[in-house]
Amino acid sequence: SQQGEEDPQALSIQEGENATMNCSYKTSINNLQWYRQNSGRGLVHLILIRSNEREKHSGRLRVTLDTSKKSSSLLITASRAADTASYFCATDEMNLGGKLIFGQGTELSVKP
Amino acid sequence: GAGVSQTPSNKVTEKGKYVELRCDPISGHTALYWYRQSLGQGPEFLIYFQGTGAADDSGLPNDRFFAVRPEGSVSTLKIQRTERGDSAVYLCASSLESGLADNEQFFGPGTRLTVL
């Protein structure tokens, strides 16, 4: 069963705009990870945020984590058409050996 | 170095047949994970190995599914008596070691299984 829930399920924006995706989860975690997927195939790791971190940046990506609300957000700034993809959050639950529990994903479309 | 590789990239089989899906993890990675992804869904955990042993197989849907990793490197996911509902993309991932606080998993391109 999947733990995470993401919203929105789909997001369409213009190039240059920012895109924000949200993820909620249910249990205690070691970390939360965001992945990107093109065309339903391999997942590309974007960023990992530990449970004791609140915010992390990587290039145009900014991730926040609020463990009290069990939620995370992924912000992509100055979006490009090449950012069009599905984005998934995945939680690494405590004491479960590192298996990831994925949300259903947000499908992002960036129009040129 | 090379990333995670999976073979075949596509597999079409008939209902009732047996299939094997192979995963080659990143060299030196001791943890290996199998996930299954249906259309429009996020990946779902199947099983993971730490070394040669299956540390958690709680995600395997039933006893038609089995996976091995005899030498602690390459893994094979085996599906007996395939059913149409088994059609999905099967993803493999590896990481340095399970249980690390920063257990970043690297995914392969997946095997798309279609059961007719």
Side-chain angles (χ1 to χ4, degrees):
Chain A
S1 62
Q2 292 178 329
Q3 169 180 235
E5 294 200 3
E6 295 181 59
D7 87 278
Q9 290 188 353
L11 179 61
S12 182
I13 58 174
Q14 294 294 132
E15 238 180 356
E17 295 180 337
N18 296 341
T20 299
M21 290 160 267
N22 302 295
C23 169
S24 62
Y25 59 93
K26 296 176 184 169
T27 63
S28 297
I29 61 173
N30 289 319
N31 62 66
L32 184 144
Q33 303 179 39
W34 285 90
Y35 286 85
R36 166 197 166 120
Q37 185 177 45
N38 288 83
S39 306
R41 295 307 289 263
L43 290 147
V44 175
H45 189 271
L46 295 177
I47 197 164
L48 179 153
I49 186 165
R50 290 190 185 195
S51 60
N52 61 354
E53 296 176 313
R54 291 298 166 257
E55 187 171 313
K56 205 162 181 180
H57 297 253
S58 176
R60 293 185 295 112
L61 305 180
R62 173 178 167 252
V63 169
T64 63
L65 178 65
D66 186 336
T67 52
S68 66
K69 294 181 179 177
K70 291 185 167 57
S71 67
S72 173
S73 67
L74 170 67
L75 168 68
I76 303 174
T77 59
S79 63
R80 306 165 181 168
D83 294 329
T84 295
S86 294
Y87 292 82
F88 293 92
C89 70
T91 49
D92 179 346
E93 295 184 2
M94 281 186 177
N95 303 319
L96 289 183
K99 71 183 185 186
L100 294 176
I101 308 297
F102 283 82
Q104 292 195 332
T106 293
E107 194 172 326
L108 173 66
S109 175
V110 182
K111 301 187 186 308
Chain B
V4 178
S5 63
Q6 292 186 246
T7 54
S9 56
N10 286 285
K11 176 70 177 178
V12 180
T13 191
E14 294 179 343
K15 180 176 178 296
K17 299 289 188 184
Y18 168 83
V19 296
E20 289 190 351
L21 312 178
R22 176 187 168 109
C23 172
D24 272 278
I26 293 172
S27 177
H29 281 193
T30 63
L32 185 147
Y33 303 79
W34 283 99
Y35 297 84
R36 177 168 76 170
Q37 186 176 23
S38 300
L39 193 62
Q41 303 292 316
E44 291 189 300
F45 169 78
L46 295 176
I47 183 172
Y48 95 88
F49 294 85
Q50 178 57 52
T52 60
D56 183 347
D57 64 359
S58 62
L60 295 178
N62 51 60
D63 62 6
R64 294 185 299 104
F65 289 75
F66 189 71
V68 295
R69 195 186 185 201
E71 297 177 357
S73 179
V74 170
S75 176
T76 304
L77 178 66
K78 307 180 181 195
I79 310 174
Q80 298 177 322
R81 303 182 305 279
T82 51
E83 299 177 358
R84 292 193 180 88
D86 299 336
S87 296
V89 176
Y90 288 80
L91 296 163
C92 175
S94 70
S95 68
L96 275 173
E97 184 179 336
S98 63
L100 296 177
D102 289 359
N103 186 32
E104 182 178 336
Q105 294 182 27
F106 297 85
F107 280 79
T111 293
R112 184 180 300 279
L113 175 66
T114 303
V115 182
L116 301 176

